[in-house]
Amino acid sequence: MVSVYMAASGLESQGQDIDHLLDLIDFVQEMFQVMEALNAQFRNDDFIEFGMGDFSFQLKVGFNYGPVTSGVVGSRKMLYDIWGDTVNVASRMNTTGHVGKIHMPETCLEKLRADFNVRFERYKEVIVKGKGAMRTVFVSHFPPLPLSATLPTQTTM
């Protein structure tokens, strides 16, 4: 069974602010750690006894950034949704990626590498519907954000 979830960040950000992209990658890395912990728990004797010893959660991530269109859809069951080329490419990165990896188009590399120490490994060209061949990369290393960047600032009056 496969479930796909999509997340968006920075929907209200303007300009060149990419902190939300780094936060999203950091969030994904934490998700990988939680998955490892859950899988370790499933490997214990209690689950093996019930025939679930080989069960494991798996996660692969498609990542992209860019403009999106958003709005509320539906008249009876209204939902807020985003769509557009950015979302479609992220979805293709997910379907063509590997378990345990963050897969993204090479264009993300330029944006994320500009100011931060994010390392990548080249993957391959992927055929993306409506876009053609797209060079892609995996995130191979992402240093944790400094504590000051992850905590809200406190102001006194």
Side-chain angles (χ1 to χ4, degrees):
M1 176 169 57
V2 175
S3 296
V4 175
Y5 299 93
M6 297 194 95
S9 67
L11 293 176
E12 295 182 5
S13 71
Q14 301 291 322
Q16 299 297 315
D17 176 32
I18 66 167
D19 288 345
H20 62 92
L21 298 177
L22 299 170
D23 289 344
L24 196 54
I25 290 176
D26 198 37
F27 172 71
V28 169
Q29 289 194 324
E30 288 182 33
M31 287 176 61
F32 285 134
Q33 291 172 353
V34 168
M35 291 288 208
E36 285 180 33
L38 283 172
N39 288 336
Q41 187 175 0
F42 277 116
R43 284 186 216 105
N44 73 27
D45 292 336
D46 294 336
F47 285 97
I48 292 171
E49 182 180 327
F50 292 107
M52 295 178 61
D54 60 349
F55 176 84
S56 69
F57 289 103
Q58 297 182 336
L59 177 66
K60 64 180 179 176
V61 176
F63 189 95
N64 195 21
Y65 78 93
V68 296
T69 302
S70 64
V72 176
V73 295
S75 58
R76 290 201 170 95
K77 184 179 178 185
M78 295 187 279
L79 299 168
Y80 180 78
D81 197 8
I82 61 172
W83 57 94
D85 188 58
T86 302
V87 176
N88 294 340
V89 170
S91 176
R92 298 300 181 269
M93 295 298 105
N94 179 27
T95 58
T96 59
H98 290 182
V99 171
K101 301 274 191 174
I102 302 173
H103 187 212
M104 62 182 65
E106 194 174 61
T107 54
C108 290
L109 176 110
E110 297 149 10
K111 185 80 166 178
L112 292 172
R113 193 190 286 174
D115 297 312
F116 300 92
N117 189 23
V118 181
R119 293 192 199 113
F120 303 89
E121 59 186 78
R122 299 225 182 266
Y123 179 44
K124 66 178 183 179
E125 283 193 352
V126 173
I127 303 300
V128 177
K129 183 179 177 181
K131 307 270 304 165
M134 183 176 286
R135 291 170 54 161
T136 65
V137 297
F138 289 123
V139 173
S140 61
H141 173 73
F142 179 78
L145 292 174
L147 188 59
S148 62
T150 60
L151 297 176
T153 55
Q154 184 176 6
T155 57
T156 55
M157 297 193 171

